[in-house]
Structure formats: structure tokens, C-alpha cells
Amino acid sequence: MTQEFINPSDGVVRQYLATSKTIAVVGLSDREETTSNRVTKEMQARGYTIVPVNPKLAGSEVLGEKAYASLAEIPFPVDIVNVYRRSEFLPDVARDFLKADARIFWAQLGLESLEAAEILRAGGCDDIVMNRCIKREHTRLILEQ
């Protein structure tokens, strides 16, 4: 039997978005044409504090915010870790997540990994969303309510 990842209910996801203020974005690009940049810029415009996480951009600024090489290097707590890395990299990001002061693991639309979910749950994190666009969910569950 193949297991599949099941996302939390809309009510839980709405609560995540409504109570969160800071989003660390793993794989955020500084190129404006990328999905990660466009979606993150929109979430920033909607009032979230953005924390870029990209080893290639560490120390520079993306969308006006200092970029970090890894989640563990962020010196303050973050609410949501929004991931723009291919699914095969999600287990590694999950391990980094567990070293950080973060609450919710969110993999963007098209990204999912049972292994990452197992790593997160084994590390004590049950707040996991995968294969969902944070901007679309915010629009649907917060703005359209």
C-alpha cells in the first residue's frame, strides 16, 4: 500500500496563516521573474516579514531583507518555513528545519515528500503543509473570507 501525505484541514491552514507573521523562504531567488520571488514579494506586500534563505545569496539582500545561508543561521524565530526546493531536497530541508526555531513547514505547489514528513514528525513537528501555494491559500482562506 502506498502512503500519501495528507494536508491539514482548511481551518488549520487558515489558523497557520492568520497567526503567522514571519516567513523564511528556502530557495528564494533574487530574479524577479521566478515564482519564488513573485509569490514572496506578494506575501511581503500582504504584511508578512520575509526571511530569504539561499546559500548563494547569504549576506546580500533579497526583497530588502538580509539573506541567510541556512535556516539554522536565522537568529530569531520564524513562523512558517516556505520551501522552493525540488521534492528530492525536502528531506534535507526538513532536517535543517528541525535545527531552526521554526513552527510550520510549508512546501510549495508541486513539492511533496513522505520522507520529509516522517523526518519532521519524528523531530516533533506536526505542522506540515505540502503541495500548496502559500499565496493561493492565503487568498482563498484569508482574503476571500
Side-chain angles (χ1 to χ4, degrees), residues 28-47:
L28 178 59
S29 174
D30 59 352
R31 295 187 340 267
E32 290 183 12
E33 69 274 10
T34 63
T35 301
S36 69
N37 190 288
R38 286 180 290 138
V39 168
T40 302
K41 190 174 192 175
E42 179 61 28
M43 295 307 289
Q44 189 178 45
R46 293 180 185 188

Side-chain angles (χ1 to χ4, degrees), residues 6-141:
I6 298 177
N7 276 304
S9 69
D10 281 356
V12 170
V13 174
R14 182 182 296 112
Q15 188 69 15
Y16 289 165
L17 293 167
T19 61
S20 296
K21 298 188 180 344
T22 307
I23 303 173
V25 185
V26 176
L28 178 59
S29 174
D30 59 352
R31 295 187 340 267
E32 290 183 12
E33 69 274 10
T34 63
T35 301
S36 69
N37 190 288
R38 286 180 290 138
V39 168
T40 302
K41 190 174 192 175
E42 179 61 28
M43 295 307 289
Q44 189 178 45
R46 293 180 185 188
Y48 291 91
T49 299
I50 300 304
V51 184
V53 179
N54 185 328
K56 294 177 185 169
L57 302 173
S60 66
E61 283 194 1
V62 182
L63 299 176
E65 300 289 345
K66 179 184 175 187
Y68 293 88
S70 69
L71 291 169
E73 290 183 20
I74 300 171
F76 49 85
V78 296
D79 296 309
I80 298 173
V81 171
N82 188 21
V83 185
Y84 286 92
R85 299 282 324 273
R86 292 195 315 260
S87 294
E88 63 261 29
F89 296 115
L90 291 180
D92 289 335
V93 178
R95 288 181 196 94
D96 288 345
F97 176 95
L98 294 173
K99 296 174 194 167
D101 186 357
R103 200 166 55 95
I104 301 155
F105 183 94
W106 191 303
Q108 271 299 116
L109 193 61
L111 305 177
E112 194 171 308
S113 166
L114 277 176
E115 182 185 355
E118 290 167 4
I119 290 166
L120 291 163
R121 288 193 179 112
C125 174
D126 290 321
D127 298 316
I128 307 165
V129 177
M130 291 195 197
N131 193 21
R132 296 273 172 92
C133 174
I134 197 167
K135 182 180 110 179
R136 285 185 190 170
E137 295 302 300
H138 186 268
T139 299
R140 184 173 72 87
L141 298 171

